[in-house]
Amino acid sequence: MIFPFDKNESWSLLGWALDELDVDVEDRDVIDGSYFIKLTKDKGFFSKLLSSVSPSQTYQLIVKQLDETYSQVIFVDLSEENKQDTIDYSFDFFNELATKF
């Protein structure tokens, strides 16, 4: 997902969007520009998306600076399981995240 903001502003807005979506943030790293999020099957909107994934899954969202005005959020499955499921899920997750902007 590409943001028309620098890394710091994107990281801040991403944190706000995660709060709005009621996503459990396990940890955050301001210097690295990343969030570690835990998504649980029985929690609202994400329960529909996680039907093929284990009951609780931890992911990392990393904000990378692309140029002076754009940054990118990268979705990382820390378990490295279900590669296609993770790719499909990341598209759904980013679509839901985009509704907050």
Side-chain angles (χ1 to χ4, degrees):
M1 175 177 239
I2 306 292
F3 287 99
F5 310 108
D6 67 23
K7 179 181 177 179
N8 292 333
E9 191 170 359
S10 293
W11 189 82
S12 179
L13 290 170
L14 179 60
W16 172 81
L18 293 171
D19 286 343
E20 287 289 307
L21 292 171
D22 199 25
V23 173
D24 292 327
V25 176
E26 289 188 326
D27 198 8
R28 61 192 85 213
D29 184 337
V30 177
I31 295 169
D32 186 36
S34 66
Y35 287 93
F36 293 88
I37 60 172
K38 186 175 195 173
L39 301 176
T40 307
K41 274 174 68 169
D42 60 355
K43 194 168 184 182
F45 169 78
F46 296 107
S47 64
K48 297 176 202 153
L49 298 177
L50 291 170
S51 61
S52 63
V53 183
S54 66
S56 182
Q57 196 80 13
T58 300
Y59 301 97
Q60 183 180 18
L61 301 175
I62 305 169
V63 180
K64 297 285 185 186
Q65 189 74 39
L66 294 177
D67 61 23
E68 292 177 11
T69 56
Y70 289 95
S71 57
Q72 178 179 28
V73 177
I74 301 166
F75 186 92
V76 179
D77 179 2
L78 297 177
S79 71
E80 297 181 2
E81 297 175 0
N82 301 321
K83 280 194 171 267
Q84 188 58 48
D85 286 348
T86 301
I87 292 168
D88 294 342
Y89 172 70
S90 69
F91 283 113
D92 292 335
F93 178 78
F94 280 140
N95 284 334
E96 184 65 18
L97 195 62
T99 66
K100 298 299 176 185
F101 288 90

